[in-house]
Amino acid sequence: MAVTPLIWIITIGVTILFFVYEFFAHVRKPHEPTIAESARWSIFYVSLALLFGVGMGLVSGWTYGGEYFAGYLTEKALSIDNLFVFLIVMAGFAVPKAYQQKVLMIGIIIALIMRGAFIAVGAALIENYSWIFYPMGALLLFLAYRQAFGSHESDPANGKVVGFARRILPITDTYHGDRLSVKIDGKRFFTPMLLTIVAIGFVDLVFAVDSIPAIYGLTEQAYIVFTANAFALMGLRQLFFLIGGLLERLVYLAQGLAVILAFIGVKLVFHALHVNELPFINGGQHIDWIPDIPIWFSLLFIAATITVATVASLAKTRRDARAGLER
């Protein structure tokens, strides 16, 4: 896939313009978005992502188009999991609803910057070291295990990073609008808004470790990795307000993501064996009999897993609600 520097510059420039527009049109003036507003913009960004994928398929071929769609679905699912943690963070810091948009916007921008850095590092490693697919596959299998069986009850608002920030910075007890700092009696204090953003930034770093190896298991094209991530993050703010109540009902989301991460981890290991150059594995020769998982199967598998996890989650919460009413 040939991507010229000009295409990169245009893509990054348009992405920045979208976020600038989002800030000035929706976030600059604190308010709680309505369901209708959130729905309109969520549909717009999802439609934009789908149109981009169709365009990529028509221009560059449907192999790359399929890789984009598989990557976009995976990143969107991981981003929804990210939203759930954002919800915990903002509840922990009791962020007023009118200011949650600003926190989300800053958090999403931090996420895109961090993922951009990981994408660049990942592309350089893949280009120069074919063996990197082994540790990436192993990492995804570990992350899949953690998603499925790890504890999801930790509160980032009381984590070590935030605790360190509290110790070294003068923090006020109350919010002062959406300001990050305020002067009181001539002394500069930081508000809880800053701590919220610190916690969100740390969460973004953790999720970048999950998401970038996952999508590199579906495509080796850095451009597809970046655009899939960018489109998955666009509209995430509106999605938060649209499905805020639904997030708590997705009780099997972690298990669904675990299945996806494990599948991509196995796919990465299979690919590593195909391009193997390590002398202590098969004498440094490629292992050609290992099955090569096609992108169409990956796309169907990821879509089916997300669907099953969502339907099963909603069915369980509906059963639990009925059982609670009958008692």
Side-chain angles (χ1 to χ4, degrees):
M1 183 179 185
V3 182
T4 65
L6 179 61
I7 293 175
W8 271 107
I9 291 169
I10 292 172
T11 303
I12 294 171
V14 170
T15 303
I16 292 171
L17 285 176
F18 267 109
F19 283 107
V20 170
Y21 171 79
E22 280 269 290
F23 177 79
F24 284 101
H26 303 291
V27 179
R28 192 179 185 186
K29 184 179 179 181
H31 73 285
E32 182 182 355
T34 64
I35 295 295
E37 177 188 341
S38 299
R40 281 196 308 270
W41 284 100
S42 294
I43 292 169
F44 170 76
Y45 281 117
V46 170
S47 301
L48 197 64
L50 296 178
L51 284 173
F52 182 85
V54 171
M56 179 173 287
L58 293 173
V59 173
S60 301
W62 286 107
T63 296
Y64 293 127
E67 289 177 0
Y68 166 81
F69 280 117
Y72 174 72
L73 278 177
T74 301
E75 294 302 317
K76 201 68 175 176
L78 288 168
S79 294
I80 291 173
D81 195 32
N82 206 343
L83 279 185
F84 186 79
V85 182
F86 283 1
L87 186 67
I88 296 172
V89 170
M90 287 193 282
F93 284 107
V95 180
K97 285 189 176 294
Y99 308 140
Q100 289 182 0
Q101 284 206 95
K102 184 172 183 178
V103 174
L104 284 168
M105 187 70 179
I106 294 173
I108 290 167
I109 291 171
I110 293 172
L112 188 59
I113 292 170
M114 286 188 175
R115 292 185 189 192
F118 275 72
I119 289 166
V121 171
L125 290 174
I126 288 170
E127 186 175 349
N128 294 286
Y129 306 102
S130 62
W131 54 263
I132 198 66
F133 289 109
Y134 286 113
M136 286 174 72
L139 173 63
L140 285 180
L141 291 172
F142 167 74
L143 293 173
Y145 176 85
R146 191 186 67 179
Q147 276 282 348
F149 304 108
S151 172
H152 298 273
E153 302 298 324
S154 60
D155 182 2
N158 295 313
K160 292 181 179 179
V161 174
V162 173
F164 177 73
R166 286 186 186 276
R167 287 195 300 272
I168 64 171
L169 296 173
I171 306 291
T172 63
D173 293 328
T174 59
Y175 287 88
H176 293 262
D178 61 351
R179 296 168 66 182
L180 300 181
S181 67
V182 65
K183 255 189 178 180
I184 302 175
D185 297 329
K187 185 179 178 182
R188 177 66 63 180
F189 287 85
F190 295 97
T191 71
M193 182 71 77
L194 178 69
L195 289 182
T196 307
I197 291 169
V198 169
I200 292 287
F202 181 71
V203 168
D204 283 333
L205 176 62
V206 172
F207 273 90
V209 174
D210 285 21
S211 66
I212 300 307
I215 193 169
Y216 267 124
L218 299 167
T219 179
E220 295 181 33
Q221 301 295 324
Y223 185 76
I224 294 177
V225 175
F226 177 79
T227 51
N229 269 276
F231 278 113
L233 292 172
M234 284 182 186
L236 200 59
R237 177 181 59 82
Q238 292 89 344
L239 194 62
F240 176 85
F241 293 100
L242 183 63
I243 66 170
L246 180 62
L247 285 173
E248 296 179 358
R249 297 175 62 191
L250 297 178
V251 293
Y252 293 129
L253 177 61
Q255 287 75 15
L257 290 175
V259 171
I260 292 172
L261 291 175
F263 168 76
I264 300 174
V266 171
K267 189 174 186 297
L268 268 175
V269 172
F270 281 5
H271 180 72
L273 293 169
H274 270 283
V275 299
N276 175 64
E277 294 177 349
L278 295 178
F280 52 86
I281 298 178
N282 197 40
Q285 301 299 310
H286 304 339
I287 304 178
D288 295 324
W289 59 265
I290 295 290
D292 188 17
I293 301 173
I295 194 62
W296 65 264
F297 181 83
S298 300
L299 181 57
L300 288 176
F301 183 90
I302 292 165
T305 303
I306 294 171
T307 302
V308 169
T310 302
V311 171
S313 295
L314 297 179
K316 184 181 187 304
T317 52
R318 196 177 297 116
R319 283 197 308 271
D320 291 348
R322 273 203 304 265
L325 290 173
E326 290 171 0
R327 287 174 188 162

